[in-house]
Amino acid sequence: MKNLLILLIKIYWLVIPPSKRRKCIFRTSCSRHVYEKTIHNGFISGLKAFKYRFQNCRSGAYIIENPYGEIQIILPNQQILNETEVSERFIKNKNSNHGKIRNHSKS
């Protein structure tokens, strides 16, 4: 099963060009994160990583700037991600991106 999940991710990377993939709110893309978890920790860990990312990489996340000027994201499960975990594209556009993330709605 581990090899099947890894194969599916590799096929996804080959078939869907990066420009056509959904933009992830996390610094490490969802597919890369699931791939690494599966490789290092096994199939169950990969599935758990997929479930976590799928539930939290959707609309309902909020971008904030803390009192120290760092960008953070509050996920739908109320977990707060620090700047080191947030996608660089949100940090670069921090002035125009504050508020609810709207471009991650379910398709």
Side-chain angles (χ1 to χ4, degrees):
M1 294 303 284
K2 174 182 173 177
N3 291 331
L4 178 62
L5 183 56
I6 292 167
L7 178 66
L8 289 173
I9 293 169
K10 286 183 176 183
I11 290 171
Y12 167 73
W13 288 339
L14 288 172
V15 173
I16 310 294
S19 62
K20 299 290 183 189
R21 296 179 197 159
R22 289 180 62 159
K23 303 300 181 211
C24 191
I25 63 174
F26 299 97
R27 187 165 297 233
T28 303
S29 73
C30 293
S31 61
R32 174 63 56 191
H33 178 71
V34 172
Y35 177 82
E36 290 174 0
K37 285 286 189 179
T38 304
I39 290 286
H40 298 297
N41 302 326
F43 178 71
I44 299 299
S45 182
L47 283 181
K48 287 180 182 178
F50 176 76
K51 180 183 176 191
Y52 171 82
R53 287 291 182 102
F54 185 78
Q55 290 176 336
N56 289 291
C57 192
R58 299 278 181 250
S59 62
Y62 288 87
I63 301 169
I64 62 169
E65 185 172 341
N66 69 17
Y68 303 105
E70 299 170 326
I71 298 300
Q72 295 179 314
I73 291 183
I74 303 174
L75 300 176
N77 69 359
Q78 303 305 306
Q79 180 182 1
I80 298 174
L81 297 182
N82 291 319
E83 195 168 312
T84 57
E85 300 171 90
V86 176
S87 174
E88 290 179 1
R89 69 189 177 97
F90 288 110
I91 295 169
K92 288 178 185 175
N93 298 317
K94 67 181 180 180
N95 292 330
S96 62
N97 281 334
H98 289 276
K100 189 171 185 175
I101 299 172
R102 299 182 192 282
N103 62 343
H104 278 74
S105 61
K106 294 179 184 176
S107 302

